[in-house]
Amino acid sequence: MARVVVIGDLMTDSVARAFYPLARGSDTPASVLTYGGGSGANVAAWLALEGAEATFVGRRGSDITGRTREMELMGYGVDSRLVMDPERATGTCVVMITHRGDRTMLSDPGANARLQPEDLPRDVFAPDGHLHVSGYTLINEDSRRAARMALRMARESGMSISVDGGSHAPLKRAGAENFLDWTNGARLLFANTDQAEVLTGRDDPEAAAKVLTAWFPAVVIKLGDEGALWAAKGRDEIIRVPAEPVEPSPGSIGAGDAFMAGFLPLWLSGKHPKDALARAQHLAARALHMPGARPDLGDL
């Protein structure tokens, strides 16, 4: 199995789940819990759970929170290559979940935004590895140079490359044409339906996937409770796999990251995309069963 190097974000997720409709200007009873987060770090943790040799490259604060988050990654078996920022705190995301289950995220990237090209360890770029770049790191203007340098180094060293769309609102602000230009040379794009629409202007996932294969040899679009699809350049066939039926935990937030970690090992080992999609759906369903964005360290 190829070594997977993840360049991305490390966050602390504070998940606030309201029990009643929000009382504006007053108090609303809620459950507030804290977990390790960040899309890139989550993918690395789930990859390690799948038995992959996972390396995570990012930036954290010099605070106790950053130390805790790094120790968690090491607990999963991730090769953590975090640079400590002396000025900025470790990133934080406040996830607000309404009593109906709707999710809104308020993100402060903190030290993530200071990731620099010189932070990238040269020894992880090798032809027998795979690079996965978190869309958040590429979309964020302050960390973009580092993400683009990582993509360049991976291309020059002969690594295969995958990227994800991050989140549709910041992706839209960054611009579809810019994102497609920055990710030139990637073999695989992960996107959800909202991100695919931002990138193509198509609200039909299959149509969006076909458009995106003009830029990427392979495209995976996550369809939520309708499953996922795979499309490839030069092939008319679109492969669909349904989602596994699951009753989500009220505080689950990491299914998309688990999905990518489930897909990559099988795809990299040459398995059929349908098998990779099925494994991705299985891991996403597991993530939906638990609160937070990562597997419970106590279950390892």
Side-chain angles (χ1 to χ4, degrees):
M1 184 182 297
R3 176 188 181 100
V4 181
V5 179
V6 182
I7 307 288
D9 45 322
L10 175 75
M11 304 284 278
T12 293
D13 290 337
S14 293
V15 182
R17 181 168 60 91
F19 298 143
Y20 303 102
L22 294 179
R24 298 184 182 277
S26 186
D27 289 65
T28 303
S31 167
V32 181
L33 297 171
T34 299
Y35 306 96
S39 179
N42 296 340
V43 171
W46 285 103
L47 279 168
L49 183 74
E50 287 289 272
E53 186 180 356
T55 297
F56 177 71
V57 178
R59 199 172 180 96
R60 71 168 178 87
S62 59
D63 45 34
I64 188 63
T65 303
R67 178 175 173 80
T68 300
R69 299 286 86 86
E70 183 167 17
M71 291 180 67
E72 287 172 351
L73 288 177
M74 295 170 65
Y76 290 115
V78 175
D79 176 16
S80 175
R81 304 291 190 94
L82 286 168
V83 174
M84 189 169 63
D85 192 304
E87 298 176 357
R88 294 198 184 187
T90 302
T92 301
C93 182
V94 177
V95 184
M96 298 187 299
I97 305 176
T98 70
H99 66 296
R100 294 179 177 176
D102 298 323
R103 287 162 167 75
T104 299
M105 290 172 282
L106 302 174
S107 299
D108 176 359
N112 292 302
R114 288 280 295 273
L115 187 68
Q116 300 297 309
E118 52 267 29
D119 295 337
L120 304 175
R122 270 46 179 178
D123 65 296
V124 303
F125 294 92
D128 60 346
H130 175 82
L131 174 70
H132 177 77
V133 177
S134 168
Y136 289 99
T137 304
L138 193 57
I139 292 168
N140 189 302
E141 184 176 359
D142 293 332
S143 57
R144 186 176 303 144
R145 285 180 58 245
R148 296 190 68 184
M149 177 60 76
L151 289 166
R152 175 183 168 185
M153 294 170 66
R155 288 193 299 266
E156 291 177 348
S157 64
M159 297 175 77
S160 56
I161 302 170
S162 59
V163 295
D164 70 74
S167 181
H168 74 275
L171 179 61
K172 187 174 183 178
R173 290 193 294 269
E177 290 185 8
N178 288 331
F179 182 85
L180 294 171
D181 178 61
W182 299 331
T183 54
N184 179 47
R187 283 181 54 196
L188 172 65
L189 170 72
F190 291 102
N192 61 24
T193 53
D194 291 333
Q195 295 156 18
E197 183 175 359
V198 168
L199 290 173
T200 66
R202 309 294 181 89
D203 59 4
D204 176 74
E206 291 195 4
K210 287 186 176 294
V211 171
L212 287 167
T213 58
W215 282 273
F216 305 96
V219 175
V220 173
I221 298 184
K222 297 170 282 184
L223 308 173
D225 57 10
E226 294 183 11
L229 64 82
W230 177 89
K233 182 177 293 186
R235 295 183 59 176
D236 293 332
E237 179 189 19
I238 288 183
I239 297 173
R240 278 183 175 258
V241 169
E244 292 189 6
V246 61
E247 185 65 34
S249 166
S252 64
I253 54 175
D257 299 327
F259 176 98
M260 291 185 281
F263 185 90
L264 281 173
L266 269 67
W267 182 72
L268 289 171
S269 63
K271 301 298 184 184
H272 195 278
K274 187 172 184 178
D275 295 330
L277 285 174
R279 182 60 191 172
Q281 293 290 9
H282 178 75
L283 212 62
R286 178 172 175 178
L288 286 169
H289 270 301
M290 59 186 66
R294 300 186 197 158
D296 189 337
L297 278 167
D299 293 339
L300 299 181

